[in-house]
Amino acid sequence: MIGIDRDTGATVDDWPQFVQRATRALTTPLGTRQKRPLYGSTLPTLLSRNLGDSVLMLAQVGAVEAFVNEANGIADFEPDTVLAERYGNGLKLRLSGVWHNRKMTFEVTT
């Protein structure tokens, strides 16, 4: 799949394009898109809470749920490790797993 980088406008494909799609799905609040109400994840709703250990655990669960949600279109990545940690005023997710039979890792900051 070929896409456009949201920051530079350059053409992206393969892994960088997937990372951009996954980041968009993980940082979009669930139910905010009018024509695609099932698109997104529960992660943005956690950001208004104090980032205790229980919220970090909920963030990990929300990230895995986003990959299982078919409406997000990111099911071609199978996460095997999801690690949430405090980062600045938000949190950072480190995800690793299998994408097209390759072991891949990426980070998402919120």
Side-chain angles (χ1 to χ4, degrees):
M1 185 180 292
I2 297 175
I4 297 174
D5 187 283
R6 66 187 310 173
D7 298 323
T8 64
T11 303
V12 292
D13 61 353
D14 202 35
W15 179 247
Q17 197 273 339
F18 172 77
V19 170
Q20 185 170 309
R21 276 190 302 138
T23 301
R24 189 177 326 118
L26 289 168
T27 57
T28 300
L30 191 62
T32 56
R33 291 205 174 174
Q34 186 174 359
K35 293 189 179 194
R36 294 177 66 191
L38 298 178
Y39 181 85
S41 74
T42 58
L43 289 175
T45 60
L46 299 174
L47 295 178
S48 61
R49 300 183 185 181
N50 291 332
L51 289 178
D53 292 340
S54 62
V55 173
L56 294 177
M57 190 177 302
L58 289 173
Q60 292 172 174
V61 170
V64 172
E65 286 176 346
F67 284 99
V68 175
N69 183 356
E70 291 292 327
N72 290 333
I74 55 175
D76 48 348
F77 180 79
E78 297 176 20
D80 57 21
T81 304
V82 179
L83 177 65
E85 61 183 20
R86 294 167 192 86
Y87 179 77
N89 291 332
L91 57 90
K92 180 191 299 185
L93 289 169
R94 290 190 178 142
L95 300 110
S96 66
V98 178
W99 180 74
H100 294 279
N101 295 324
R102 294 185 286 182
K103 181 78 170 165
M104 304 299 275
T105 302
F106 69 101
E107 293 182 351
V108 176
T109 57
T110 57

